[in-house]
């Protein structure tokens, strides 16, 4: 259960939130269960419970069950407000701004990862260093998808013409399952990838080995990727300059004042 | 300009064996049914007594029959989905193709919401509301019949897609750009649009009808604060229909303009904004959930006092809670797309608003519990359904609150945890509530009660089946399984097999319910019930003066048939057919006032 | 028909109109979101022709007043005259709109050319369609009063039509202000 | 009779005022009247005219029966929520997601 037993700081906070909220709700839910079955047993027709057919309102009692849920929701609401701001996927994990950037493109039906700081790219798998905040900049050249690595933290939608940032970080080395969570057509079920978190040294070695490779992500290669279909994993040693910007920009209006 | 639009002989060709089977089944069942009607001589009786009837009770029954038939279709779809997922653990890919699987899950959702759940509540409302407020009929009997037949037309369009062309494969709410022409070039999404557009208009007309009925036709002396709870919750639900369905109409129309007229509302090109679709459709979609569940809350407020032999506890609180839910349900729609990337303020505000709905809902539950307190509870099946409802609904409510916390939702959204949650609410709330109401009010209309023993069997099977089918999905969601997968990871297979067994138990429950109906009808002498078998004090149980027969008209059914043809014309771009159907319907609609000025 | 029926229909229509307001709200929201997405084609300020718009607005406003006055009239002749006048003004209004739309399409600025144009055509067009339906209703009522004179049922229907027509004028206030006049602030 | 004429006269005046403001603005080549002033003026005139027509043409006034007023107020509430909510949400969505090349020329795609 990667959601409840996570491997990343964001996912850990999210799972703690799930547990906290569940415990809070049990304050109301358990009495409901208890009262339901207790009353059902106690006041069954053949039972000995008192019968008061016309007892139909009590201002005091009603006040209690308006007040108790209101208070719990107030607490949950406060928890929601703070946790939503804390877990805002757009918020940098570390204030220094030293995050590693991975640009993600959801394609029909594959995931393309570009590493602008290293000039390399990968298809259908991604590698990141552990203990490092990573900023995924997510877009799509396809119908809406959702980028989700349950072990590291919550998802965000991948949409054409938008860059949706998602900040994650991995605690320990390992292979984590990543998927698209939003249905995007026939090949959707195949739209998953492996995220490998490696120690800084292993990661650097990996980058160097990719750079030694031959594959180049040029415009024609990218065009071929846009054709709907499933693909294997590929590593590209070089990437055509400005590719990501143009992938996003193709959907935007150059002259429109709405563009930010 | 082609006479048949985009329709050609190829449109009838289905690609897979399962799809072909469905096609043949629909054709055989439809022709068989029609032939049987003609040759058994029942057609005339059916036409006179039922199809043309404007009597709210008969219209109610016909809604329930429609829901029953479509329910079988929806369950068949569910069976295909569950068996596919249980068998398609990689490297096996099951027996359904990805496209076909997508069509089935789309159809399952659409059918269950629009053509099962909605007709179920409209059926109950039709049967009970006029009796509860003790009026002769609804305010506009003709429009009532029209609503029914438009709903039927929508349902037929969905089924027509089994025979000609295919249904939408973009989910029950077809998010663009996937649902745009570029990615869904077939007619599937168009079938979806027109089936819902027609059924949506029907719902809107019904809402106007019942609101007018409840507001202006209550019996002398029944003030608002004297209305039975079912009438109150229906009032809330119909207000939601009135104000939410226009948004569905808008969003579907805009999607159709994109697809058919090359406009750019939700395309990703030329400035269209797919997120606006998501925003607008959920502004309808969230109230829709409460449209479905509110009337059933009303049912429980009738059932619990009756079987506890006690007055409903906290009537005023109940009314306040109902109206609070009605208003709040319009303030929460963003929780369906927290993960689309809005800022923390937007997400937090809508998350907190969502949780706030738990307050009036919780109050309702406590009021029901304290109606049981110091009562004399008799556990007839309607009361059992109530027990089942509270037990399951509380679980669903808790998972719902979890999903409404954006931080948690990032991890739960679009997983099968979400699927488990909404089935939890719809089955535990709407379906169980309907069964409670159906069993409770059945003797009022049939003159005899339903068989208790089989009813209890059905209840236990349903509850067990529900738990076995959906609890595993909560766990699978936490394991990272997303919804709508036609092939699955092998590690998920054991729990998916359990879920499939759960569905089998539910199917057994449905079989028992059908048997219950048959057995009860056969034993109706023994099950004969007086005019008030449960000893209820609610107004609908008091004997009514005999109603003078309302006059019949086939016009509504004709307009329904024309709506089907018009929708079919729209789907296949046979514009002449659509225009003709609209024009003839307009004439049919306009003419009657000329007759009795 | 009893006064009871009167209340039903009028109340039912009132509910329908309120529901229709929400429909327009959806279209306005869409327009507001998409109005900057012009993609090099015409923008809102290009569509603003103050004099035509003013004439169009005053025509619809006048027609709204006339139909209101018509509901107060008793004689068949006056009612027929009122209906005819409203109808003609509605026709003039629709005429302006068709002329505008046709001009835009001819100039290569049809509804398929940008998200802004899509939302403009559909919002304004939906209002125009409502006006057309109102005119059809007027035509029907005109025939009825011509054939049967003023009955109780007729005056109920006339009141309902007037209510509908006033509603269309109110929607138009929002359209000329938001869609047209405010386009200069973009 | 009188209420229609009063409503009409008021509406005409309000319409003319709104047009006049815009006309001054446009004719002066956007020199006269600042944008924001014009925006609020047009909105204000529209709102007042809305109230005028509701009052004089549709007879919507606080003293009306609750059957008419309650659904009306509910509709008003929902319109505000749907339009306001949609604008807030959509604005927020496009602001919190960045798009590249601020100010750079059009990426006319030489990509494919």
């Amino acid at each position: 259960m990667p959601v409840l037993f996570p491997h990343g700081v964001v996912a850990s906070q999210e799972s703690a939130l799930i547990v906290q909220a569940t415990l809070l709700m049990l304050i109301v839910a358990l009495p409901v269960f208890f009262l339901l079955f207790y009353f059902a047993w106690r006041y069954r027709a053949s039972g000995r419970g008192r019968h008061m057919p016309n007892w139909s309102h009590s201002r005091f009692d009603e006040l209690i069950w308006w007040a108790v849920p209101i208070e719990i929701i107030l607490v949950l609401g406060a928890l929601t407000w703070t946790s939503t701001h804390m877990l805002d996927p757009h918020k940098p994990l570390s204030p220094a701004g030293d995050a590693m950037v991975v640009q993600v493109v959801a394609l029909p039906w594959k995931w393309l990862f570009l590493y602008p700081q290293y000039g390399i790219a990968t298809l259908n798998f991604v590698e990141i260093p552990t203990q490092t905040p990573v900023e995924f900049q997510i877009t799509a050249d396809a119908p809406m998808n959702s980028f989700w690595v349950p072990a590291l933290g919550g998802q965000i939608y991948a949409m054409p013409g938008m860059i949706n940032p998602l900040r994650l970080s991995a605690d320990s080395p390992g292979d984590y399952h990543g998927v698209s969570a939003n249905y995007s057509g026939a090949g959707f079920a195949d739209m998953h990838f492996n995220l490998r978190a490696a120690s800084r040294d292993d990661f650097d070695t990996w980058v160097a080995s990719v750079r030694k490779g031959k594959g180049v992500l040029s415009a024609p290669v990218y065009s071929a990727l846009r054709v709907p279909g499933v693909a294997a994993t590929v590593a590209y040693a070089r990437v055509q300059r400005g590719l990501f910007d143009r992938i996003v920009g193709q959907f935007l209006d150059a002259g429109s004042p709405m563009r930010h | 300009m082609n006479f048949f639009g985009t329709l050609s002989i190829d449109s009838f060709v289905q690609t897979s064996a399962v799809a072909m089977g469905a096609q043949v089944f629909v054709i055989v069942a439809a022709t068989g049914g029609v032939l049987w009607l003609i040759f058994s001589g029942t057609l005339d009786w059916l036409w006179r007594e039922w199809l043309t009837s404007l009597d709210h009770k008969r219209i109610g029954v016909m809604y329930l029959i429609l829901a029953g038939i479509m329910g079988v279709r929806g369950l068949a779809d569910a069976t295909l989905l569950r068996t596919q997922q249980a068998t398609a653990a990689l490297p096996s890919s099951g027996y359904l193709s990805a496209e076909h699987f997508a069509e089935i899950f789309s159809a399952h959702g659409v059918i269950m919401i629009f053509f099962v759940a909605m007709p179920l509540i409209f059926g109950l409302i039709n049967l009970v509301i006029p009796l509860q407020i003790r009026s002769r009929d609804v305010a506009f009997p003709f429009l009532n019949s029209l609503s029914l037949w438009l709903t039927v037309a929508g349902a037929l369009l969905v089924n027509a897609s089994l025979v000609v062309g295919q249904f939408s494969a973009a989910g029950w709410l077809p998010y663009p750009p996937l649902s745009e022409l570029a990615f869904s070039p077939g007619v599937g999404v168009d079938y979806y649009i027109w089936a819902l557009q027609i059924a949506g208009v029907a719902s809107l007309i019904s809402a106007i009808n019942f609101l007018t009925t409840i507001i202006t036709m209550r019996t002398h002396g029944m003030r608002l604060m004297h209305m039975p709870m079912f009438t109150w919750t229906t009032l809330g639900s119909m207000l939601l229909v009135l104000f939410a369905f226009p948004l569905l109409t808008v969003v579907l129309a805009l999607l159709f303009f994109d697809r058919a007229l090359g406009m750019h509302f939700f395309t990703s090109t030329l400035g269209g904004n797919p997120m606006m679709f998501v925003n607008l459709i959920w502004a309808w979609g969230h109230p829709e959930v409460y449209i479905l569940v509110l009337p059933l809350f009303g049912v429980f407020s009738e059932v619990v006092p009756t079987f506890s032999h006690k007055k409903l506890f906290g009537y005023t609180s109940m009314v306040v809670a109902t109206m609070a839910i009605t208003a709040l349900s319009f303030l929460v729609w963003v929780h369906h797309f927290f993960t689309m990337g809005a800022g923390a303020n937007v997400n937090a505000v809508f998350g907190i608003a969502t949780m706030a709905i738990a307050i009036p809902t919780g109050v309702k539950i406590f009021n029901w519990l304290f109606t049981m307190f110091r009562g004399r509870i008799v556990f007839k099946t309607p009361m059992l359904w109530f027990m089942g409802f509270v037990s399951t609904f509380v679980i669903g409510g808790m998972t719902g609150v979890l999903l409404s916390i954006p931080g948690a939702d990032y991890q739960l959204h679009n997983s099968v945890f979400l699927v488990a949650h909404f089935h939890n609410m719809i089955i535990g709330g709407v379906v169980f509530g309907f069964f409670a109401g159906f069993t409770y009010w059945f003797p009022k209309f049939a003159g005899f009660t339903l068989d208790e023993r089989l009813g209890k069997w059905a209840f236990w099977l349903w509850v067990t089946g529900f738990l076995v089918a959906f609890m595993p999905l909560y766990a699978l969601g936490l394991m990272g399984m997303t919804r709508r997968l036609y092939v699955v990871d092998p590690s998920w297979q054991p729990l998916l097999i359990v879920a499939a067994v759960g569905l089998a138990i539910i199917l057994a429950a449905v079989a028992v319910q059908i048997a219950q109906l048959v057995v009860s009808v056969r034993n109706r002498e023994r099950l004969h019930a007086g005019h008030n078998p449960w000893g209820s004090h609610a107004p609908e149980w008091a004997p009514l003066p005999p109603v003078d027969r309302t006059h019949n008209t086939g016009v509504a059914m004709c307009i329904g048939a024309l709506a089907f043809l018009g929708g079919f014309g729209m789907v296949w771009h046979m514009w002449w057919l659509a225009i003709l159907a609209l024009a003839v319907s307009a004439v049919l609609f306009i003419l009657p006032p000329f007759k009795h000025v | 028909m009893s006064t009871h029926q009167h209340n039903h229909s009028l109340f039912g229509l009132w509910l329908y109109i309120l529901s229709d307001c929400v429909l327009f709200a959806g279209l306005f929201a869409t327009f507001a979101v998409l109005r900057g997405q012009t993609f090099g084609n015409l923008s809102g300020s290009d569509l603003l022709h103050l004099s035509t718009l003013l004439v169009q607005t005053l025509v619809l406003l006048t027609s709204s007043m006339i139909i209101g006055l018509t509901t107060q009239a008793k004689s068949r002749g006056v009612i027929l005259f009122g209906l005819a006048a409203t109808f003609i003004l509605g026709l003039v209004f629709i005429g302006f709109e068709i002329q505008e739309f046709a001009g835009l399409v001819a100039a290569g600025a049809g509804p398929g050319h940008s998200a802004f144009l899509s939302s403009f055509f559909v919002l304004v067009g939906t209002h125009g369609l409502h006006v057309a339906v109102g005119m059809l209703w007027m035509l029907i009522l005109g025939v009825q009063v011509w054939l049967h004179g003023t009955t109780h049922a007729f005056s109920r229907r006339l009141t309902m039509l007037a209510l509908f027509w006033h509603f269309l004028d109110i929607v138009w206030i929002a359209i000329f202000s938001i869609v047209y006049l405010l386009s200069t602030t973009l | 009779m009188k209420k229609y004429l009063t409503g009409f006269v008021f509406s005409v005046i309000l319409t003319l005022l709104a047009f006049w403001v815009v006309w001054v603005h446009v004719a002066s080549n956007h020199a006269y009247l600042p944008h924001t002033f014009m925006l609020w003026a047009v909105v204000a005139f529209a709102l007042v005219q809305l109230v005028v027509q509701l009052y004089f043409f549709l007879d919507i006034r606080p003293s009306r029966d609750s059957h008419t007023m309650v659904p009306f107020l509910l509709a008003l509430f929902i319109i505000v929520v749907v339009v306001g909510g949609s604008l807030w949400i959509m604005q927020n969505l496009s602001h919190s997601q960045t798009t590249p090349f601020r100010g750079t020329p059009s990426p006319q795609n030489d990509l494919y």
Side-chain angles (χ1 to χ4, degrees), chain B residues 88-122:
Chain B
L90 289 164
S92 153
S93 61
Y95 63 101
L96 294 174
S97 69
E99 291 88 352
H100 196 194
F101 186 81
E103 264 184 65
I104 295 171
F105 71 64
S106 308
H108 171 75
V110 170
I111 286 172
M112 286 305 200
I113 296 292
F114 287 92
F115 300 109
V116 180
M118 290 295 273
L120 282 183
I121 65 155
F122 278 125

Side-chain angles (χ1 to χ4, degrees), chain B residues 462-507:
Chain B
W462 255 109
V463 172
T464 323
F466 162 75
L467 291 173
V468 177
F470 291 102
M471 293 304 124
L473 294 194
Y474 280 125
L476 283 167
L478 296 175
M479 287 160 74
M481 178 177 168
T482 51
R483 61 200 292 207
R484 298 172 170 173
L485 293 172
Y486 87 106
V487 286
V488 301
D489 191 275
S491 66
W492 301 331
Q493 194 177 24
L495 283 174
L496 285 168
I497 292 174
V498 174
V501 171
L503 177 70
I505 300 174
I506 291 178
L507 292 178

Side-chain angles (χ1 to χ4, degrees), chain A residues 3 14 39 43 45 49-53 56 62 65-66 80 85 90 148 150 155 157 162 164 181-183, chain B residues 102 275 309-311 313-314 317 339-341 345 355 363 367 369 373-374 376-377 407 410-411 413-414 478:
Chain A
V3 172
E14 284 166 347
F39 287 171
Y43 300 103
R50 227 163 68 170
H51 186 204
M52 293 173 70
S56 72
E62 283 177 75
W65 51 83
W66 275 100
T80 301
H85 282 85
H90 297 158
W148 188 28
Q155 63 192 293
Y157 279 17
M162 304 292 239
N164 229 344
N182 195 62
Y183 187 74
Chain B
M275 295 187 292
H309 293 105
K310 201 161 152 279
K311 270 170 88 171
F313 187 86
S317 274
T339 55
M340 209 155 74
N345 288 339
M355 285 170 206
V363 168
N367 279 344
L369 290 179
F373 178 69
R374 291 183 179 165
R376 276 266 173 276
I377 309 167
Y410 294 139
Q411 281 285 43
H413 182 66
N414 267 346
L478 296 175

Side-chain angles (χ1 to χ4, degrees), chain B residues 324-561:
Chain B
I325 293 174
T326 306
L328 281 174
S329 64
F330 265 105
L331 296 172
V332 302
W333 74 96
V334 177
H335 69 223
H336 295 273
F337 51 93
F338 283 148
T339 55
M340 209 155 74
N345 288 339
V346 170
N347 283 354
V349 164
F350 281 90
I352 293 169
T354 306
M355 285 170 206
I357 297 192
I359 300 169
T361 314
V363 168
K364 273 177 173 284
I365 289 182
F366 279 110
N367 279 344
W368 289 319
L369 290 179
F370 278 82
T371 304
M372 293 164 70
F373 178 69
R374 291 183 179 165
R376 276 266 173 276
I377 309 167
V378 180
F379 288 96
K380 298 278 188 195
T381 26
M383 195 61 197
L384 287 183
W385 286 117
F386 169 75
M387 299 288 292
F389 153 75
V390 177
S391 324
T392 52
F393 205 75
V394 170
I395 303 173
M398 283 172 57
T399 55
V401 172
L402 278 185
L403 286 161
S404 76
I405 305 172
D409 183 67
Y410 294 139
Q411 281 285 43
L412 303 172
H413 182 66
N414 267 346
S415 72
V416 285
F417 187 94
L418 172 73
V419 175
H421 161 71
F422 65 71
H423 282 89
N424 202 157
M425 301 315 257
I426 304 271
I427 293 179
V430 179
V431 178
F432 288 5
F434 170 76
F435 291 147
F438 183 73
T439 326
Y440 175 61
W441 280 310
F442 185 83
K444 176 74 196 171
F445 301 96
F448 56 93
T449 54
L450 285 168
D451 187 280
E452 270 291 313
R453 200 171 51 92
L454 286 172
K456 285 185 171 136
W457 266 101
F459 166 76
W460 287 110
L461 284 171
W462 255 109
V463 172
T464 323
F466 162 75
L467 291 173
V468 177
F470 291 102
M471 293 304 124
L473 294 194
Y474 280 125
L476 283 167
L478 296 175
M479 287 160 74
M481 178 177 168
T482 51
R483 61 200 292 207
R484 298 172 170 173
L485 293 172
Y486 87 106
V487 286
V488 301
D489 191 275
S491 66
W492 301 331
Q493 194 177 24
L495 283 174
L496 285 168
I497 292 174
V498 174
V501 171
L503 177 70
I505 300 174
I506 291 178
L507 292 178
V510 173
V512 170
Q513 285 176 310
I514 294 170
Q516 183 197 23
L517 260 180
V518 175
V519 169
S520 308
V521 171
R522 204 180 308 142
N523 295 344
R524 59 188 175 278
E525 304 288 313
R526 191 167 57 72
L527 294 168
H528 178 78
H531 64 87
N532 190 355
W534 318 117
S536 165
H537 300 294
E540 73 269 22
W541 292 101
L544 279 169
V547 178
D548 45 326
R549 258 178 63 114
T550 44
H551 68 277
N552 288 12
T553 169
V555 173
M557 198 189 172
C558 291
I559 295 182

Side-chain angles (χ1 to χ4, degrees), chain B residues 35-46:
Chain B
L35 288 178
W36 181 79
L37 281 178
I38 293 171
F39 290 106
S40 66
T42 44
L43 188 61
D44 182 48
W45 165 80
L46 203 62

Side-chain angles (χ1 to χ4, degrees), chain B residues 168 222 316 374 541:
Chain B
S168 167
M222 187 188 276
T316 315
R374 291 183 179 165
W541 292 101

